[in-house]
Amino acid sequence: MNEAAGKPAATLMLQGTASDVGKSLLTAALCRIFKQDGYRVAPFKSQNMSLNSYVTPDGKEIGRAQGMQADACGIPATTDMNPILLKPKKDMASQVVVHGKPIGDWDARAYRERYLPLAEGIVKEALGQLRGEYEIVVLEGAGSPAEVNLKDRDIVNMRLASWADAPVLLVADIDRGGVFASVVGTMEILEPEERDRVHGVLINKFRGDATLLKPGLEWLERRIGKPVLGVIPYLDGLTLEDEDSASLDGKSRAPSATAAAEVRGREQPLDIAVIRLPRISNFTDFDPLAREPGVTVRYVRSAKEWGSPDAVILPGSKNTVEDLRFLRESGLEEQLLRHIGSGGSAAGICAGYQMMGCRLLDPDLVESDVPELPGLGVFPMETVFARDKRTEQVVGAVAAEELGTPGTPIEGYEIHMGRTRFLEPVVSPFRIRRRRLPETPEAYHADGVVTAGGRLWGTYVHGVFDNDEFRRGWLNGLRQGKGMAVPENAVSYRALRESSFDRLADHVRQHADFDAIYEILWRGMARADG
């Protein structure tokens, strides 16, 4: 229970006129603002659909956005913040994760008809737990509350707001166009009691002269009878994680040969190509690389986008078998093996690491309908898919000089269902342990494989590039191998990320009416008390 007031936490909910309007970042901004103002605050999203995961300190899996929002609050993430996570495996089926543990794979119809009726109790209990521990809980909706075909079993938007008795702020994205129509259309579709729950509108991702928008805002307020509480300008350069792989669309194309030559001639950047698998997961692993000066990170999804990368990374995947098939069908396998055969550098993270072995074995058809599939044959190993998922925060250090200075600390997290065994002795680049275990020699185990003098390596550790010393060492090794200069400026990714929370909060505070937002928040609290 909220110790200061002896009552459940106040609630405020952000819902959107559509997906990808910026709800997750605005929720993080509100969380950081309330924290800056001295409140104990927590995020909540009842059900999330994402392949970007976050592993909690107790080894459970939640959506990456809620983990990021917990970081904005300055608190440890728990599964109460995202009790239900859906991880798409193929077009109409997802792995369902409840309180951090998978309960099975469900198709959309079966999940909606058989599981959603049970989910209400799970969601209410988790939200109640948070409201007993914090002073404010900021709720994030999913998609749009105006999806009439989903409203009867809604657990993420207006029914959730009703359960929490939360006032709602409606978020609209002006960058995609049609912002007035999207707001008016959403309000028209809502039931009268749902419209009453909406207390204001936030217009997000604005570019241009705000004075030119004023007549439209005045019309909108008259039309819907709700105030516009802020027009938030587009804010670039944040070191905060994206949740949706759609955000990679602008990063996927290789530069033209002419443009690449001009850039190379000017500043000699490292060109890192990340293969954009159809079911790519945890692509936030590579955000720290993109923040390094003199480094270009490209996401390539076809052979024609290959270019001339200095290093190639095979990322994580929610369906390793199907994405390995994609590599073969797209011609990217041939490109990758040619790159490796000509002396190029390559790394695999989690599923990408598994693909680089000799075989993928799935005797129980856990991952797909294929019991065995040959891998890329880069590493002497095979991976067997198990029914239980390993999710752990890990700490450790570099163990092989081929990949850096032994003893260089690393930390990250594991999240995988495969178990890898080696077919001959190998050199492992890291020694790690579960963070939850006592620090004893017996707690550590070898992770990954490194060959070809450090040119080729793989690991199960997501977030390995978040570690500044390791990341810089790997990049500088690539630079030295190509005769490039080593930059003097060092980047602290964690410091950049923390400053991004404050920058985002300052930006939103500047462009939104927080006197009104606080009044809405406390008025809702008083109504709940009455």
Side-chain angles (χ1 to χ4, degrees):
M1 191 64 64
N2 181 338
E3 296 176 2
K7 62 184 72 172
T11 55
L12 181 67
M13 188 169 192
L14 296 185
Q15 296 185 26
T17 57
S19 297
D20 198 32
V21 298
K23 296 186 298 293
S24 294
L25 276 181
L26 286 179
T27 298
L30 292 181
C31 285
R32 177 51 67 104
I33 288 168
F34 293 145
K35 175 182 183 294
Q36 289 173 338
D37 291 349
Y39 295 100
R40 292 181 292 109
V41 57
F44 180 79
K45 187 165 185 173
S46 56
Q47 175 183 283
N48 201 349
M49 178 175 282
S50 176
L51 289 179
N52 268 356
S53 299
Y54 185 103
V55 175
T56 62
D58 60 347
K60 305 291 178 60
E61 182 181 9
I62 63 173
R64 189 85 194 167
Q66 282 62 64
M68 180 265 289
Q69 291 159 359
D71 291 343
C73 297
I75 58 176
T78 71
T79 62
D80 287 325
M81 298 170 187
N82 176 212
I84 301 175
L85 173 64
L86 306 179
K87 304 192 72 176
K89 294 185 70 173
K90 43 192 174 183
D91 288 345
M92 293 297 293
S94 295
Q95 183 182 69
V96 179
V97 180
V98 177
H99 275 295
K101 293 297 181 183
I103 65 168
D105 297 344
W106 296 64
D107 65 56
R109 181 174 296 277
Y111 175 75
R112 177 170 168 76
E113 293 179 353
R114 293 164 50 196
Y115 194 77
L116 271 184
L118 305 175
E120 179 176 335
I122 295 169
V123 168
K124 288 180 175 178
E125 182 180 4
L127 178 59
Q129 184 70 26
L130 289 179
R131 295 191 71 187
E133 296 176 7
Y134 295 94
E135 295 173 288
I136 299 173
V137 178
V138 183
L139 289 73
E140 178 187 344
S144 163
E147 294 168 358
V148 294
N149 57 312
L150 303 178
K151 289 178 69 172
D152 63 323
R153 292 187 179 172
D154 166 44
I155 63 169
V156 294
N157 286 312
M158 281 299 178
R159 288 180 76 218
L160 173 61
S162 177
W163 300 338
D165 198 20
V168 173
L169 304 183
L170 187 64
V171 180
D173 177 3
I174 196 171
D175 197 40
R176 66 176 64 191
V179 68
F180 299 122
S182 67
V183 173
V184 171
T186 299
M187 294 296 289
E188 286 293 326
I189 291 173
L190 296 179
E191 299 296 330
E193 63 272 18
E194 295 172 335
R195 286 196 292 271
D196 289 343
R197 194 166 288 284
V198 177
H199 287 256
V201 176
L202 293 172
I203 294 179
N204 197 25
K205 305 182 189 177
F206 179 71
R207 305 172 193 253
D209 183 350
T211 62
L212 299 177
L213 196 61
K214 186 177 179 181
L217 300 180
E218 293 172 346
W219 174 90
L220 181 63
E221 291 181 332
R222 291 193 303 270
R223 181 67 175 78
I224 66 173
K226 309 288 181 180
V228 176
L229 297 174
V231 177
I232 314 299
Y234 186 87
L235 183 62
D236 202 4
L238 291 174
T239 307
L240 298 175
E241 301 94 318
D242 292 313
E243 184 171 62
D244 192 335
S245 61
S247 66
L248 300 180
D249 288 342
K251 309 174 186 178
S252 297
R253 303 297 180 189
S256 68
T258 301
E262 290 176 353
V263 172
R264 278 188 176 277
R266 185 169 65 251
E267 56 187 23
Q268 289 288 306
L270 279 175
D271 181 14
I272 311 295
V274 179
I275 295 180
R276 184 174 172 180
L277 303 169
R279 298 158 191 86
I280 186 171
S281 66
N282 295 76
F283 58 82
T284 52
D285 283 344
F286 315 113
D287 288 354
L289 296 173
R291 293 295 173 188
E292 284 282 347
V295 175
T296 298
V297 176
R298 296 183 292 116
Y299 290 83
V300 300
R301 50 189 168 188
S302 68
K304 67 180 181 181
E305 296 175 358
W306 188 262
S308 301
D310 296 312
V312 179
I313 301 176
L314 261 176
S317 165
K318 190 64 195 74
N319 194 318
T320 311
V321 169
E322 291 301 319
D323 278 349
L324 180 53
R325 284 172 160 172
F326 162 78
L327 279 183
R328 294 193 165 125
E329 294 166 359
S330 65
L332 286 168
E333 177 188 38
E334 182 181 352
Q335 291 276 21
L336 176 59
L337 293 178
R338 184 183 299 124
H339 169 82
I340 291 172
S342 63
S345 296
I349 308 295
C350 199
Y353 166 49
Q354 295 169 345
M355 292 180 199
M356 293 175 77
C358 295
R359 283 184 296 278
L360 299 175
L361 303 172
D362 192 3
D364 296 326
L365 304 183
V366 171
E367 181 90 355
S368 70
D369 57 0
V370 180
E372 181 173 342
L373 190 69
L376 301 177
V378 178
F379 300 138
M381 66 188 205
E382 61 185 20
T383 297
V384 180
F385 294 106
R387 292 193 176 278
D388 60 309
K389 180 184 287 190
R390 179 174 294 171
T391 55
E392 287 288 347
Q393 291 189 2
V394 297
V395 295
V398 172
E401 61 183 9
E402 291 92 334
L403 202 58
T405 303
T408 298
I410 66 161
E411 59 182 58
Y413 61 98
E414 290 186 64
I415 180 166
H416 55 93
M417 301 184 80
R419 303 293 184 265
T420 295
R421 59 194 181 208
F422 297 107
L423 306 177
E424 60 185 63
V426 300
V427 175
S428 294
F430 308 116
R431 286 191 63 79
I432 60 174
R433 65 172 173 85
R434 298 180 180 184
R435 185 185 290 274
R436 292 185 292 165
L437 295 180
E439 188 173 357
T440 64
E442 295 76 22
Y444 285 84
H445 65 274
D447 167 78
V449 57
V450 57
T451 66
R455 187 167 54 83
L456 307 173
W457 59 279
T459 178
Y460 271 121
V461 180
H462 288 287
V464 69
F465 292 119
D466 288 19
N467 298 278
D468 297 334
E469 188 176 352
F470 170 75
R471 180 183 68 254
R472 286 196 297 269
W474 182 64
L475 291 173
N476 288 340
L478 294 175
R479 291 183 175 106
Q480 291 165 356
K482 298 187 70 66
M484 297 179 176
V486 174
E488 297 180 1
N489 296 332
V491 173
S492 169
Y493 183 70
R494 286 175 175 78
L496 281 176
R497 188 170 181 271
E498 185 63 20
S499 67
S500 286
F501 284 128
D502 288 331
R503 181 174 166 232
L504 174 64
D506 292 345
H507 181 73
V508 173
R509 192 192 290 268
Q510 177 184 350
H511 294 284
D513 185 348
F514 267 83
D515 288 339
I517 290 173
Y518 269 117
E519 182 181 350
I520 290 166
L521 179 69
W522 301 132
R523 190 165 66 231
M525 188 67 177
R527 185 179 64 251
D529 292 344

